[in-house]
Amino acid sequence: MSTDNLILDSPTQTALGRGIKHIGIGKYGSKPLPPDLLAECRAALIDPATHPLQRGAFLGALIAKGPTPEEKTLEDAIGKGAFDHQTFFINKVCPELPAGLLPIATKLVRGHNLQVSEAEQLGDYLFGTGNCETFRGLAASIMRVRHETNEEYYGLMRSAERTFTPGFGPISCADRPLVQLAEPFDGVENSYLITPLLAQQMQKRGYGAVSVVGRSGGPKFTLNALDLYMHLGVQFLQSNHELDTPLDGYGWVLDQKALSPALNRWVDRRRTIIKRPFLATLEKLLNPCHARILVTSVFHITYQMKMAELAMLAGFDAVMVLKRGLEGSLAPSTSRACGLLCAVRTPKGHLFFQQFEGDAPAFATYRTESETSYEQPQATDNARLVRQFMEKQYSDDADFDNRVRFAQALYGRGLDWIESQLA
């Protein structure tokens, strides 16, 4: 399927798109389909013009949630008994799937977790050129709703690494330890990003900063780190060999499109299947430049420790994971109880963890009663604020300045602890 065919106009307005939003929330947030939407989804499953990615994503969410008796009648559009006979279901829904993937597909439909090698084989197909888009949507949706295991992430990670362009091989040419900064790729809708200023902070501490960015796969499309860095006029990293040339300011910026065309193609798929799949986490964890420290964030607090564990699997020696960042970003909230989880793997292989809470007395001067909300924040304005602060240590926006200083104090405290553990 060509890249053009991966894109669906108004994916959230189709019957299956609305169905995905209803049943694809998660194990505990999904709701049964109302009768009118159930009828529309039945018609869409029968319609040969229905986008295969959405068909797969819808069915995957339904299976992972567990269909109600009313929803089980949708098997009329697949084959009688399909929901109770997993191999039969796969053969009906994904007839073109290679035979070697049938055991993995059946295991997913049965709700079983994959071993590392199985997840790696699955990743090879998801990132490859096989033509079964229905299966891609199905697999991504099932794993998302039931939550991917660390073993599955590790297998998918190894597969994704094989899609890197030749310039991002096993050798780094950096002349100093690297810190990788990874914002959520879908960015923000009502605030400004501070990523380049955090990168500048890491540079001043003697590290090389690498910000990983990419196109937004949704659900937010207003402003992301790629937009910001483009308006700052950066020259994007094309190879690890360029890391031997130190850069002032905010260091290097790596666009996912230059790193892996296969991962970049998934952006269009993600817009079509609507809900964030495993890649929303994986793309922040991949370590193509062999950085020593990862700085990232999580939207759901319960994912903070999991992100730290996955960072260790990805080869980082240390990680800082922000919880309750503004809109899930690396910018800490000044009114809510945000916090930073730091983790290190010592040279002897020991793991240590430390929490730094944003409402601690040391950060009291940065706290506010509420957050400033910006309607339709623009990359040009964000770039202007970043340039002003970078040059003068303040901008014409007091809220932005306070948030940057809070972030510098919080991440500075985390970096102090990491360095003390790795010394």
Side-chain angles (χ1 to χ4, degrees):
M1 179 174 279
S2 71
T3 302
D4 290 342
N5 291 335
L6 299 178
I7 302 171
L8 181 64
D9 292 335
S10 303
T12 60
Q13 302 305 311
T14 67
L16 294 185
R18 286 180 283 119
I20 290 168
K21 293 180 71 175
H22 215 80
I23 64 175
I25 299 171
K27 279 185 176 180
Y28 308 109
S30 299
K31 297 167 287 188
L33 292 167
D36 56 341
L37 184 54
L38 183 68
E40 290 185 65
C41 289
R42 178 180 285 104
L45 290 173
I46 296 171
D47 186 354
T50 294
H51 199 291
L53 274 168
Q54 278 211 335
R55 180 183 283 110
F58 173 83
L59 291 172
L62 185 63
I63 288 170
K65 176 185 79 71
T68 63
E70 292 78 14
E71 290 166 345
K72 286 191 76 170
T73 64
L74 290 174
E75 71 180 14
D76 295 343
I78 305 167
K80 186 173 178 59
F83 289 139
D84 295 319
H85 301 87
Q86 292 79 19
T87 303
F88 176 68
F89 171 85
I90 291 294
N91 284 325
K92 284 291 187 180
V93 173
C94 309
E96 65 270 51
L97 191 69
L101 277 171
L102 186 58
I104 291 174
T106 304
K107 202 170 181 179
L108 285 173
V109 173
R110 285 175 175 161
H112 298 165
N113 296 333
L114 302 181
Q115 298 176 2
V116 172
S117 60
E118 293 171 325
E120 192 170 355
Q121 185 182 351
L122 172 64
D124 288 342
Y125 189 84
L126 297 181
F127 303 134
T129 57
N131 62 0
C132 188
E133 292 297 326
T134 300
F135 178 65
R136 287 188 172 92
L138 180 82
S141 191
I142 288 176
M143 288 193 294
R144 180 198 176 277
V145 173
R146 66 149 167 81
H147 301 309
E148 304 86 345
T149 66
N150 287 5
E151 289 75 17
E152 288 170 339
Y153 266 121
Y154 186 52
L156 291 166
M157 197 183 303
R158 283 167 37 172
S159 176
E161 289 169 352
R162 287 197 288 275
T163 72
F164 293 173
T165 52
F168 297 95
I171 299 175
S172 172
C173 300
D175 63 347
R176 67 187 97 172
L178 300 178
V179 174
Q180 177 171 306
L181 296 101
E183 292 272 12
F185 280 27
D186 66 341
V188 293
E189 293 178 313
N190 300 111
S191 58
Y192 288 119
L193 297 166
I194 64 171
T195 329
L197 297 170
L198 294 178
Q200 182 190 43
Q201 178 186 16
M202 300 302 159
Q203 295 260 122
K204 288 181 177 179
R205 293 284 296 256
Y207 296 91
V210 179
S211 298
V212 292
V213 301
R215 295 187 297 140
S216 171
K220 294 179 282 189
F221 296 99
T222 303
L223 169 67
N224 72 357
L226 174 61
D227 301 326
L228 174 56
Y229 277 114
M230 288 179 67
H231 279 77
L232 286 170
V234 304
Q235 184 173 346
F236 292 99
L237 190 67
Q238 299 297 317
S239 165
N240 276 343
H241 297 290
E242 298 172 20
L243 295 171
D244 64 354
T245 305
L247 294 182
D248 295 329
Y250 35 74
W252 298 274
V253 183
L254 173 58
D255 185 354
Q256 186 181 71
K257 183 169 62 175
L259 171 66
S260 168
L263 295 180
N264 184 57
R265 282 193 296 272
W266 259 91
V267 174
D268 299 311
R269 291 188 176 102
R270 289 155 66 178
R271 293 178 178 180
T272 297
I273 64 178
I274 301 171
K275 292 294 184 179
R276 289 185 181 97
F278 62 91
L279 276 164
T281 296
L282 192 69
E283 64 196 359
K284 297 190 293 184
L285 288 163
L286 295 172
N287 190 8
C289 298
H290 312 285
R292 190 178 195 192
I293 302 172
L294 173 65
V295 180
T296 191
S297 59
V298 292
F299 189 81
H300 299 289
I301 298 174
T302 55
Y303 226 69
Q304 195 178 28
M305 181 60 75
K306 186 179 184 73
M307 183 67 83
E309 293 169 350
L310 292 173
M312 298 296 107
L313 288 177
F316 295 97
D317 290 330
V319 60
M320 292 188 275
V321 186
L322 183 71
K323 67 176 180 181
R324 284 203 182 100
L326 209 56
E327 299 189 70
S329 73
L330 291 177
S333 169
T334 57
S335 66
R336 302 172 66 213
C338 66
L340 195 66
L341 172 64
C342 299
V344 298
R345 177 174 47 221
T346 68
K348 293 184 178 180
H350 300 139
L351 295 178
F352 294 99
F353 300 89
Q354 179 67 47
Q355 284 272 8
F356 295 96
E357 298 299 337
D359 56 1
F363 308 116
T365 57
Y366 307 109
R367 306 295 295 169
T368 61
E369 290 295 322
S370 60
E371 309 285 350
T372 300
S373 181
Y374 301 86
E375 186 175 352
Q376 291 293 310
Q378 300 297 309
T380 51
D381 295 327
N382 202 158
R384 173 177 53 79
L385 293 173
V386 167
R387 288 194 184 99
Q388 288 176 348
F389 197 97
M390 194 169 284
E391 294 170 6
K392 301 180 293 187
Q393 296 306 297
Y394 65 89
S395 72
D396 55 18
D397 187 320
D399 176 81
F400 180 82
D401 296 351
N402 180 58
R403 195 174 312 283
V404 172
R405 294 185 183 112
F406 181 20
Q408 290 175 337
L410 183 59
Y411 287 108
R413 181 71 63 87
L415 190 57
D416 289 343
W417 180 83
I418 286 173
E419 289 179 341
S420 72
Q421 297 299 313
L422 293 178

